[in-house]
Amino acid sequence: MSSTQSRLLLAVIILILLPALFSCTIEKKFAREFIRNDTTRTALVIPPDYLYKTSLKDYEIENADELDEWVLDSLLYEKSIFLKYIVDSLFLANYYHNYCEELAQLGFRVYDQDSMLTFLSGNSHAYIFHLAQLELEEYLIPVVEKEEFDEYLYYQLINLNAMTLNSWLEISSMNDEEKKNFFFSSLSLTDELDGYFRYNYFSGAVKYDYSIDSLLLNEVYQLGELAAYLYAGYTFDFLMNLYVDQRMLEEDKRRSGNYYHYNRQMNMLAPARDDEQFIQMEEE
């Protein structure tokens, strides 16, 4: 390809990409407007009523499929490593507190249900965030380690304890109480495995040596606190992207398709990864 052809190709690529780049620049400008305008946002946060606890270790119970559901749940609960030791009220309180604290850091005036009248008499940029449901799941996750020696592939199966926190959230605006947005997200923790295969060159024997850094009860509480902190940020991102949609429509501009995530600590704005946003659910 000649230098002239290369320059022409580069020019064509720039012309193709320019509208998208221009759109991204405008979108970020509007997102920054939303971030700066933190004096008019208020939120009523409704806490979850109940912490659901589910053990997925049915295989540990003999004839589990023949038992009454209530009996099976009771047996699974009693055999659980973490669930039976979690104080529901403490877990829920920590979750609620961290969610509200991060919202405040993001510029919201946060109200609880005891301040309903004050909230209702506030400004028009008011939202209701209902932390609808929380569920802790306890289970085992199989991890397969493998390595090849002398053209033979060796396997080792290790079961690790795992905990997942499932969260459901409802967002509505005082300007449009009919419109409710439902979201889901989950966050998990497991034991940490440190292992390796050891090969004896004299005997040809292969052994897998490993150690497990086991999950601790306080880490399960920390899982809830971290999830609440993250989800307050995801809530902010959802409203920020709605604002960008509205401003782009007002300016008769087309969005690039990027969904933006705001990192408060670093004051950074960037397209969100899949694991940096809620899963939006369809209303039934």
Side-chain angles (χ1 to χ4, degrees), residues 229-268:
Y229 160 79
L230 291 174
Y231 300 159
Y234 295 176
T235 302
F236 180 89
D237 292 343
F238 172 71
L239 297 177
M240 177 180 68
N241 280 277
L242 280 184
Y243 178 83
V244 173
D245 287 342
Q246 177 187 341
R247 294 288 284 118
M248 292 292 281
L249 189 61
E250 291 170 357
E251 297 292 327
D252 196 25
K253 304 292 184 184
R254 181 180 297 178
R255 282 210 65 171
S256 65
N258 285 327
Y259 184 92
Y260 288 96
H261 168 64
Y262 176 58
N263 185 317
R264 178 180 64 80
Q265 286 77 10
M266 302 183 67
N267 192 27
M268 285 181 57

Side-chain angles (χ1 to χ4, degrees), residues 4 42 58 71 83 94 99 119 121 130-131 141 146 163 181 189 193 195 203 217 222 284:
T4 301
T42 61
D58 298 32
V71 173
L83 295 180
N94 288 347
Y99 184 85
F119 167 75
S121 63
H130 182 195
L131 308 178
I141 182 169
K146 55 187 177 180
M163 296 292 296
N181 298 279
L189 277 178
L193 173 66
S203 66
L217 184 63
Q222 290 168 6
E284 296 182 357

Side-chain angles (χ1 to χ4, degrees), residues 144-156 196-201 204-208:
V144 178
E145 298 282 271
K146 55 187 177 180
E147 192 167 342
E148 184 176 323
F149 297 97
D150 293 337
E151 300 182 354
Y152 288 97
L153 192 60
Y154 293 84
Y155 293 86
Q156 180 69 45
Y196 63 95
F197 284 95
R198 186 157 50 88
Y199 178 68
N200 188 315
Y201 287 95
V206 175
K207 182 181 179 182
Y208 184 74

Side-chain angles (χ1 to χ4, degrees), residues 49-190:
D49 295 323
Y50 189 74
L51 176 64
Y52 293 88
K53 300 175 183 178
T54 304
S55 172
L56 303 178
K57 299 178 178 178
D58 298 32
Y59 50 84
E60 292 186 348
I61 307 297
E62 187 176 354
N63 300 321
D65 56 342
E66 300 175 7
L67 297 175
D68 175 82
E69 184 177 351
W70 187 89
V71 173
L72 176 60
D73 287 344
S74 298
L75 291 172
L76 288 170
Y77 182 81
E78 285 304 316
K79 288 180 68 68
S80 66
I81 299 175
F82 300 108
L83 295 180
K84 64 182 177 183
Y85 296 112
I86 293 291
V87 180
D88 296 18
S89 59
L90 179 59
F91 191 95
L92 293 172
N94 288 347
Y95 187 96
Y96 182 77
H97 173 77
N98 277 268
Y99 184 85
C100 292
E101 280 290 307
E102 182 57 18
L103 283 182
Q105 291 294 325
L106 287 163
F108 283 88
R109 289 202 300 276
V110 181
Y111 296 89
D112 58 22
Q113 289 172 291
D114 293 334
S115 307
M116 177 74 77
L117 292 178
T118 305
F119 167 75
L120 292 174
S121 63
N123 63 65
S124 60
H125 296 277
Y127 305 93
I128 299 174
F129 305 144
H130 182 195
L131 308 178
Q133 184 172 305
L134 295 180
E135 179 189 31
L136 272 175
E137 291 181 324
E138 180 176 317
Y139 56 100
L140 289 178
I141 182 169
V143 174
V144 178
E145 298 282 271
K146 55 187 177 180
E147 192 167 342
E148 184 176 323
F149 297 97
D150 293 337
E151 300 182 354
Y152 288 97
L153 192 60
Y154 293 84
Y155 293 86
Q156 180 69 45
L157 173 66
I158 304 292
N159 287 317
L160 301 180
N161 285 301
M163 296 292 296
T164 290
L165 176 64
N166 298 314
S167 303
W168 289 263
L169 172 73
E170 177 188 297
I171 296 177
S172 57
S173 168
M174 290 298 293
N175 292 333
D176 187 6
E177 294 184 67
E178 296 290 320
K179 175 63 175 175
K180 297 183 186 298
N181 298 279
F182 299 92
F183 302 94
F184 170 81
S185 196
S186 64
L187 198 63
S188 301
L189 277 178
T190 70

